[in-house]
């Protein structure tokens, strides 16, 4: 699998981000949806990666710098054709390693509390993420759970 920094201009990537947003819209009420659109993902504090199997887009993920010591995982998504092939695990490994390389002391994330997000929560738990209080600008929300990992 080839994981590379992506400028979010390719049609496959824009389609996957759109699919991600549509999925989040179906699962989360508007006030609880924290997924970023293409414009949000292009901000300078965010690094976005795409993961490829040969010429096929397998998934994506991003890392947002909250401050010099704290990063946030954003927009983790596996394309439907590559589900249960370890794509999310490889992307998460890549993002955690990048966070360490940057010198972050902590990496955090927000994900849904609904059953549909259980596989994501299990993946994060397997990497040592623990549940925590809201961080950054997040507030308590019954539709969200917050997780963090000390690096």
């Amino acid at each position: 699998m080839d994981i590379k920094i992506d400028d979010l201009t390719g049609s496959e990537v824009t389609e996957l981000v759109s699919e991600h947003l549509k999925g989040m819209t179906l699962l989360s009420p508007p006030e609880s949806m924290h997924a970023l659109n293409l414009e949000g993902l292009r901000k300078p504090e965010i690094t976005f990666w795409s993961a490829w199997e040969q010429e096929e887009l397998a998934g994506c993920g991003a890392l947002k710098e909250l401050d010099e010591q704290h990063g946030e995982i954003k927009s983790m998504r596996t394309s439907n054709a590559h589900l249960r092939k370890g794509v999310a695990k490889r992307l998460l490994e890549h993002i955690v390693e990048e966070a360490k390389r940057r010198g972050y002391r902590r990496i955090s994330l927000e994900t849904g509390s609904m059953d549909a997000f259980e596989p994501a929560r299990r993946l994060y738990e397997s990497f040592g993420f623990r549940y925590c209080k809201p961080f950054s600008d997040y507030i308590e929300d019954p539709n969200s759970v917050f997780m963090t990992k000390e690096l």
Side-chain angles (χ1 to χ4, degrees), residues 76-147:
M76 288 283 292
R77 180 70 177 204
T78 301
S79 72
N80 290 336
H82 291 274
L83 291 173
R84 289 173 285 289
K85 294 182 180 178
V87 174
K89 180 180 178 186
R90 284 280 296 116
L91 275 163
L92 188 54
E93 287 170 347
H94 184 85
I95 291 170
V96 169
E97 285 306 309
E98 175 63 15
K100 288 177 182 177
R101 189 192 69 72
R102 293 180 183 186
Y104 293 167
R105 299 184 76 149
R106 183 163 65 118
I107 189 169
S108 302
L109 62 93
E110 177 276 337
T111 192
S113 62
M114 294 74 94
D115 289 344
F117 295 95
E118 179 62 26
R121 292 191 304 268
R122 279 197 316 265
L123 174 67
Y124 297 130
E125 288 170 355
S126 76
F127 271 74
F129 282 83
R130 299 292 169 247
Y131 294 94
C132 65
K133 296 284 184 195
F135 59 92
S136 188
D137 296 330
Y138 292 105
I139 59 172
E140 288 287 349
D141 181 342
N143 298 299
S144 292
V145 295
F146 306 94
M147 302 178 83

